[in-house]
Structures are given as structure tokens and as C-alpha cells.
Amino acid sequence: MNKTTENSGEATKSKNFLEMIIDNDIQKGKNEGRVHTRFPPEPNGYLHIGHAKSICLNFGLAEKYNGKCNLRFDDTNPSKEEEEYVNSIMEDVKWLGFDWEDRLFYASDYFDQLYEWAVKLIKDGKAYVDDQSADLISEQRGVPTRPGIDSPFRNRSVEENLGLFERMKAGEFPNGTHVLRAKIDMASPNMHMRDPVLYRIMHSKHHRTGDKWCIYPMYDFAHGQSDYLEGITHSICTLEFEIHRPLYDWFLDQLIDTDYRPRQHEFARLNLSYTVMSKRKLLELVTEKYVSGWDDPRMPTISGLRRRGYTPEAIRNFADRVGVAKRENVIDVGLLEFSVREHLNKVAPRIFAVLDPLKVIITNYPEGKTEDLILENNPEDPEGGNRVVPFSREILIERDDFMEDPPNKFFRLGPGREVRLKGAYIIKCEDYKKDENGNVTELYCTYDPETKSGSGEMRKVKGTLHWVSEAESVDAEIRIYDRLFMNESPDDLEEGGDFKSNLNPESLKIVKGKIEPSVKNAKPMDKFQFQRLGYYCVDLDSSATKLIFNRTVTLKDTWAKMNK
Ligand code: ATP
Ligand code: MG
């Protein structure tokens, strides 16, 4: 873990391996000392916390080295990409606090240039049209320990290849009948070098180029060249692309004659316990309605975390804390939760909310009287200010803060016991009432007028409870979210298993709560600490007539306790 302290900045923080590479490049005067990165999402789903890590890394390095970072949509596959995803990705990057300025690009911006480069490869005898099916091609590719078999079309003449490629582009052939392949080495130990496919036929409309193209470049043929065209210096990607790097470099070597080259560097992707991060699986949860959408507060998507009440600061701090590794690893999701707790602790006002109310009548408090108590919003925030909380004869406390026959260590209410009502008085339980089913329905307490909070030295009691005054309290729907998966590694499955069998059946509980009146004008996304309960935020669908809160995170890591 990196040593980070809020204000001490760079000096105390050890450098990660990418920073060391960049330092070294700058020292050698590589690319005139420029640092230019890019974040290259494929718009085929919403971004998740793993992408957030990549965004923080790419934009963060650019910021740190006074460089630039581009946003580039890798939109080479028309059948899977949608405008909705493009928009959500831009929103998420901005929300995280990063700015691509005027550098918004699409791989599809380069389709003409990529086509010309493909033609150049053909003319140089380094690419050929293969008429075989995808299955046959992959069969002939062999296995790493054994060379592959040459395609019967490998030695077509340049003229024939040019003619066929032209006709592929003109739409003369159906999908799957021809591909353009690089002519590299069918015996290479690196399978990606065994005549990889450069272009395939796809009669599909593209979200930006419409019907202009019916052949589309493969990711590998687009990525390095896009980096080149944008002047990228450090092309940072996840480890699975390490084995693609020779191909990335091969294309540039064939096509580019300048000294400048983008250079690919790989880091370990972020994996989180109790979390799935594959876009395919997240899409499955959305389309099969296991969650309410991509922004369901239980989703590890950036939009889900945002709706849940996470802050950009919390996510950025988390990304910083996990650092960059060269080897695969799994980060405890507790660290992400810790980061949001840590930030919300500083910025979220404290309020009183009772989620499972039990009525308390303070028998010696005058009927019809209300006192306006002035309470501090956030002891952690010097500028947090105060609020008014009404106190009266009839209040609500949390049902589980009372026990008829409590053990000694229960420092809450029980017959004859005393507690402090936070910010108010000490009360003593004198009696209680039960219904015909034996459920406690009302407590009868007395208060000690000499114990008003803030009025100097006074006697102390062990327990302090949160509460609301019944008459002034407001109703709210409270969505108590928990982790979406019960298992630490929801992707680790037995043969034929389904990750969805690991879903946590208790990941959402909805209750009707009562909240102090100061929340009446709360707006969607406002964040609070419900004292003693956790951090909550106002949901996007909340309104003045129906307040809805989402639980962001508990006050403590309850899972860590449970698993011990
Ligand atoms: P796909 O399976 O669709 O390729 P992907 O998660 O790789 O999914 P991309 O849109 O290609 O999605 O990813 C954009 C960028 O985010 C890439 O540079 C990728 O390496 C990076 N990225 C994706 N997942 C993670 C992760 N878990 N941790 C860190 N970076 C990630
Ligand atoms: Mg990808």
C-alpha cells in the first residue's frame, strides 16, 4: 500500500512502477519529455470500479507530470456498442473529477487511416485475405507448443488480395466469409503473432459511421495505431494485454517510419472481493433484472456507487491506496468501504433517523411543549454549523434499543434503566406496554430536567441513544443495501456453476423510517450520517412528497466482525 497522507503530497509517497518508468523516460528525454496517456473504454457497458482505477491512473499520471490524458472510445465493434454507454462513460469520467478537455476521440475517427494502413500491409506482402471460416482459422492456429498450419490462401498475390479487400469493403460478401489477416509467423510461440485477423466483415450499422463501413478493424489493429495518431507516450493497459504487445509493436514497425512510438505498459487489473466486474456478468444482472439497472446502488458500476452515496473523493482515495501492481491480486472490498466512510465522516452532517420505531412517552414532560435543541451538524467539520432538533413528550427510539430483560452489558434501555437521549436529557424507563402478541408497543419514561446536554457538568450514564420527536418527524423509505454477493469470490464456481447462485438474498431491505425534520428539504444525492446507524444518501427518485434514502455504508465493517 502506498503511504499517503492528505497534505504531505508527493514527498512521502513512494513511487509506483509506472511513475518510475515515466521518470526514467523523462530523464532520457524520450518523446521530448512529454507524458500523454489515454483512457480507452469500449462503449459496451457502464464503467465499474475497475475502470475507475484505470481512469484515476491515466488521468492521474497526466496531472502529476503536467501531461495530457485523452478519452478515447474503442468503438471498433459496431454490434455491441451503444450511444447510451458513450454518454454514461463521459458522465462517469467527469463525475470522478477528470477532464479530457478537447481530447475526446473515437477509434472510428481513424477508420479511413486504418483502412489505408491495411492496404499498405497488403501491398508490402504483409497481409492477405483468407476465405476460411473463423473456426477453421482458429483450428489451424494450433497450440503454443506446436506450430500452426498455413492457410491455403496465405500466398495469394498482392493484386488478388487488394481486389478481394476492396470487394470486402464494397459489401460484396456476407459476414464471416472473408477476413484480412496479417502475414507474420504461423510458428510463433506467441499465438497472437500467428497471422492475426485485422479486419472482419460485419454488415452492421455503426453508432458514428452509420452504414459507411461493413468491414471493421480488430481491437489489436486499431489500438496501437490510435495511440500513435494521438501522440500517446505511455499506453497503459491491464496485464492480459502484455502478450499482445509484440503485435502492437509489430504493426507500428510496419506502418510508421518516425522515431516516435507509443509504448504499452501493463498493470494488474483491480479485482475486489465480494464483487463481479466482468461487463458481461454485470449486463446479465441488469437484463435479467436481478438489479434495478446499471445504476442500482448494489452494482460496482460508477453510476451505482454514485447513487449509493459514494463520493468521487472516496473513489479516488481508494484508487490511490490500492496503488498499481504488476501481479494479479484481490483487494478487500472493505478497503473501498473504508474509503467512503473516511470521506463521509468529514463531510456528512449527522442527523437522527429511527428505522424501526418504538414509541416513548416521557410522562413528566409537559404535554404540548416542544423544545428546540441546537445540535452540531458535524463535529468533524469546523464549518458544519448547527441545526434545530425538536424535543417533546412523545418520541421514537429504535426498537432494539430496548430489552425487557437485558443482560448487564446492554447499555441501552430496560425496565428501571437510564440512558441519555443524544443532545437532550437522561431518561429512565419506568414501565412499558405490550400488545396481545407480547410485542412491546410503548415505553413510559421520566426525564431528569437537570441533565440537559450542553448545560455544564452533570452526572453520566453509559448509554446514549438517537431518537426523533414523533409529531415533527418525517416519513421516509429507507433502502438498506448490503453487499450484492455473499461469497468472497463470487466468480469461483464449481463446474457448471452460476455466479448468480452467490447473490446475497439480503442485499436489499426496505423499511419505513422516521427522520428528524431537518431533512425535509434534502435533495437527491445529499449525504448524511444517521447517527449510530451508518451513512445514507437521498436517492435519485426521492421527492418532497416521498423521501427515499439509500444506505451507503454502515459505520463499521460489520462483515469483518461476522467472518471472525
Ligand atoms: P471487456 O471485457 O469488454 O474488454 P474491459 O473491462 O476490458 O471489458 P474496456 O472498456 O476495454 O473494458 O476497458 C477500458 C479500460 O479499462 C482498459 O484500459 C482496461 O484495461 C481498463 N480496465 C478494465 N477493467 C479493469 C479493472 N478491473 N482494473 C483496472 N483497469 C481495468
Ligand atoms: Mg477490454
Side-chain angles (χ1 to χ4, degrees):
M1 204 192 289
N2 281 328
K3 272 188 278 155
T4 23
T5 34
E6 204 77 331
N7 304 313
S8 54
E10 264 79 283
T12 56
K13 202 175 144 186
S14 56
K15 297 213 167 179
N16 65 49
F17 78 93
L18 289 168
E19 291 165 343
M20 293 197 278
I21 289 171
I22 295 176
D23 283 346
N24 194 33
D25 288 346
I26 290 174
Q27 207 181 14
K28 286 190 305 197
K30 196 172 170 185
N31 304 311
E32 300 82 47
R34 282 188 311 117
V35 174
H36 200 154
T37 57
R38 83 288 167 267
F39 173 65
E42 183 178 353
N44 62 347
Y46 279 61
L47 298 181
H48 53 58
I49 182 74
H51 295 115
K53 165 78 220 169
S54 176
I55 293 167
C56 292
L57 183 59
N58 279 294
F59 281 93
L61 285 171
E63 256 170 31
K64 179 159 189 185
Y65 287 93
N66 236 329
K68 293 175 180 159
C69 181
N70 296 358
L71 175 62
R72 183 200 312 142
F73 287 102
D74 163 27
D75 57 352
T76 49
N77 187 352
S79 59
K80 288 201 282 179
E81 291 145 11
E82 283 177 37
E83 207 59 39
E84 180 197 347
Y85 297 138
V86 168
N87 294 331
S88 76
I89 289 169
M90 293 200 280
E91 188 185 349
D92 289 349
V93 175
K94 279 190 218 149
W95 179 75
L96 280 175
F98 298 108
D99 186 359
W100 55 87
E101 296 168 337
D102 56 350
R103 296 178 310 279
L104 170 63
F105 301 107
Y106 294 82
S108 57
D109 295 341
Y110 314 129
F111 281 175
D112 286 303
Q113 172 69 72
L114 290 166
Y115 179 80
E116 272 168 42
W117 272 329
V119 169
K120 174 175 164 53
L121 287 182
I122 296 174
K123 286 185 177 159
D124 293 345
K126 289 169 185 163
Y128 62 97
V129 172
D130 196 331
D131 304 355
Q132 303 181 102
S133 70
D135 286 347
L136 203 53
I137 290 174
S138 99
E139 216 179 286
Q140 289 168 354
R141 208 167 254 151
V143 291
T145 48
R146 210 170 356 98
I149 299 167
D150 282 5
S151 161
F153 302 99
R154 195 171 200 261
N155 293 314
R156 275 181 155 147
S157 70
V158 168
E159 288 66 37
E160 194 184 359
N161 281 319
L162 282 176
L164 283 167
F165 190 48
E166 181 69 48
R167 289 172 64 198
M168 282 169 63
K169 179 185 177 226
E172 289 188 29
F173 305 118
N175 290 353
T177 54
H178 301 73
V179 290
L180 183 72
R181 294 176 73 179
K183 193 170 178 177
I184 309 179
D185 180 3
M186 287 304 287
S188 171
N190 182 341
M191 300 296 286
H192 296 280
M193 300 300 276
R194 293 189 182 178
D195 291 12
V197 172
L198 309 184
Y199 267 89
R200 70 259 204 236
I201 302 173
M202 292 176 91
H203 291 271
S204 318
K205 204 182 181 77
H206 186 278
H207 77 119
R208 301 199 83 227
T209 58
D211 291 319
K212 176 171 175 189
W213 298 91
C214 63
I215 54 171
Y216 291 95
M218 300 300 288
Y219 169 86
D220 277 329
F221 191 62
H223 200 80
Q225 290 94 303
S226 302
D227 283 344
Y228 172 80
L229 291 167
E230 292 174 16
I232 301 304
T233 55
H234 299 82
S235 181
I236 296 161
C237 62
T238 38
L239 283 180
E240 68 272 23
F241 290 101
E242 188 165 10
I243 189 129
H244 295 242
R245 194 185 338 130
L247 183 56
Y248 179 104
D249 291 337
W250 187 88
F251 288 131
L252 294 172
D253 286 344
Q254 310 313 308
L255 300 169
I256 305 306
D257 51 18
T258 58
D259 285 340
Y260 153 68
R261 288 277 192 290
R263 169 71 161 84
Q264 180 181 297
H265 299 279
E266 307 84 13
F267 73 103
R269 66 194 301 116
L270 172 72
N271 299 304
L272 274 184
S273 60
Y274 297 97
T275 309
V276 302
M277 252 187 280
S278 136
K279 278 192 216 163
R280 182 183 59 74
K281 288 179 183 164
L282 296 177
L283 178 65
E284 197 174 322
L285 293 174
V286 173
T287 51
E288 294 176 20
K289 302 212 167 7
Y290 288 94
V291 294
S292 63
W294 284 101
D295 70 345
D296 185 299
R298 290 165 294 182
M299 290 283 271
T301 51
I302 298 177
S303 49
L305 294 171
R306 175 165 64 232
R307 186 165 187 170
R308 175 103 171 224
Y310 276 66
T311 58
E313 291 87 342
I315 295 175
R316 291 203 306 261
N317 281 338
F318 168 73
D320 212 32
R321 278 205 171 94
V322 298
V324 278
K326 211 34 196 168
R327 248 188 259 151
E328 284 295 342
N329 61 77
V330 180
I331 302 289
D332 184 345
V333 72
L335 189 63
L336 177 62
E337 293 163 351
F338 170 81
S339 295
V340 71
R341 243 178 236 125
E342 180 190 50
H343 185 231
L344 291 178
N345 180 46
K346 289 185 214 146
V347 299
R350 275 65 169 153
I351 59 171
F352 294 152
V354 175
L355 304 193
D356 185 10
L358 173 62
K359 183 161 178 162
V360 175
I361 297 171
I362 301 168
T363 52
N364 61 339
Y365 194 86
E367 268 180 70
K369 174 176 173 182
T370 33
E371 255 176 281
D372 281 344
L373 304 174
I374 310 291
L375 302 192
E376 196 178 8
N377 282 330
N378 186 354
E380 301 290 323
D381 179 359
E383 269 140 51
N386 297 320
R387 69 190 193 285
V388 173
V389 181
F391 182 79
S392 69
R393 188 172 194 263
E394 299 188 0
I395 63 165
L396 303 169
I397 64 165
E398 218 62 71
R399 180 163 293 277
D400 65 7
D401 281 337
F402 172 78
M403 280 178 86
E404 282 186 84
D405 188 14
N408 272 344
K409 287 252 159 93
F410 185 81
F411 298 125
R412 298 180 250 168
L413 267 186
R417 295 202 182 187
E418 282 189 317
V419 292
R420 169 167 291 285
L421 294 176
K422 173 95 179 158
Y425 299 95
I426 291 175
I427 59 167
K428 180 175 184 185
C429 178
E430 310 284 355
D431 199 3
Y432 58 101
K433 186 165 102 185
K434 292 207 268 189
D435 65 13
E436 61 277 15
N437 302 318
N439 296 319
V440 176
T441 53
E442 271 177 10
L443 304 185
Y444 304 103
C445 298
T446 50
Y447 86 116
D448 177 351
E450 302 303 307
T451 58
K452 186 166 178 179
S453 289
S455 53
E457 280 292 299
M458 68 189 73
R459 67 194 178 91
K460 291 204 163 65
V461 285
K462 280 218 163 117
T464 302
L465 305 186
H466 63 278
W467 53 274
V468 295
S469 170
E470 186 175 31
E472 292 86 1
S473 68
V474 293
D475 292 302
E477 175 175 311
I478 318 279
R479 300 177 179 170
I480 303 177
Y481 290 106
D482 202 347
R483 291 178 185 167
L484 187 52
F485 291 95
M486 301 179 291
N487 299 48
E488 204 167 330
S489 329
D491 288 315
D492 279 358
L493 299 164
E494 316 232 316
E495 261 307 286
D498 184 344
F499 76 101
K500 299 195 293 302
S501 64
N502 289 327
L503 282 165
N504 176 6
E506 315 241 294
S507 63
L508 171 58
K509 266 187 283 184
I510 298 181
V511 302
K512 301 242 167 291
K514 293 280 193 177
I515 310 191
E516 63 168 71
S518 72
V519 293
K520 258 185 201 141
N521 299 316
K523 304 269 172 316
M525 306 315 292
D526 283 356
K527 293 157 181 69
F528 299 94
Q529 185 195 93
F530 289 180
Q531 291 221 303
R532 298 178 62 227
L533 298 176
Y535 292 99
Y536 287 74
C537 100
V538 182
D539 187 67
L540 286 181
D541 290 339
S542 183
S543 67
T545 49
K546 187 184 180 191
L547 270 179
I548 306 171
F549 283 84
N550 296 325
R551 182 167 81 184
T552 308
V553 69
T554 51
L555 290 179
K556 287 194 192 113
D557 188 345
T558 49
W559 284 67
K561 257 190 274 163
M562 268 163 53
N563 292 338
K564 260 177 208 148

